[in-house]
Amino acid sequence: QGYCMGGPLVVKTAATLPDRIGAGASFHGGGLVTDNPDSPHLLAPKIKARMYIGIAASDDTRQPDAKDKLKEAFAAANVTAEIEVYAGTQHGWCVPDMPVRDGAPIYSKPDAERAWKKLVELYKLALA
């Protein structure tokens, strides 16, 4: 099974450089929670950044426990994090040039704009 690298890379970078990374976000990131000993969610104790994780509904359907494990890991590590599922979205909903899948567009402009707004708010909080 393949995974998107963006979300795990954000988490790994925040954990590797905790004194340099003040905020991290992942939109429709895959592979944030795995059964492997190097699963990104297990790095939460090393993170000092504020985190935002936006999960596609299609990804949540495939791995419904991921959001709960992320929430638990961040809470146990006292990481300020918001994790939410974007109802009705498909993996890739923030990318304008995504193709149509099963007759429906993957890109969701309203949800993408909401996610980008969340990211800007996260950055403002991290810089405050």
Side-chain angles (χ1 to χ4, degrees):
Q1 179 176 358
Y3 289 111
C4 292
M5 297 308 297
L9 184 59
V10 167
V11 174
K12 289 176 183 180
T13 302
T16 302
L17 301 169
D19 294 323
R20 295 188 62 197
I21 306 297
S26 171
F27 304 148
H28 47 77
L32 295 172
V33 176
T34 71
D35 292 331
N36 299 330
D38 64 347
S39 176
H41 81 288
L42 298 176
L43 296 172
K46 296 181 179 183
I47 295 173
K48 294 180 183 176
R50 293 176 176 268
M51 302 296 289
Y52 177 77
I53 311 294
I55 301 170
S58 63
D59 292 331
D60 186 53
T61 298
R62 278 192 290 276
Q63 192 181 13
D65 64 334
K67 64 185 171 296
D68 299 324
K69 289 181 180 179
L70 281 168
K71 287 176 185 177
E72 290 168 10
F74 286 140
N78 293 315
V79 172
T80 300
E82 182 178 357
I83 299 161
E84 63 181 327
V85 176
Y86 281 67
T89 58
Q90 297 184 60
H91 184 86
W93 91 85
C94 285
V95 183
D97 62 352
M98 288 296 280
V100 171
R101 180 183 300 141
D102 298 327
I106 294 173
Y107 175 63
S108 171
K109 185 174 181 177
D111 291 311
E113 288 180 355
R114 181 172 150 235
W116 293 119
K117 182 179 176 186
K118 291 273 191 174
L119 180 65
V120 171
E121 290 170 1
L122 180 73
Y123 287 161
K124 286 179 183 178
L125 287 170
L127 293 172

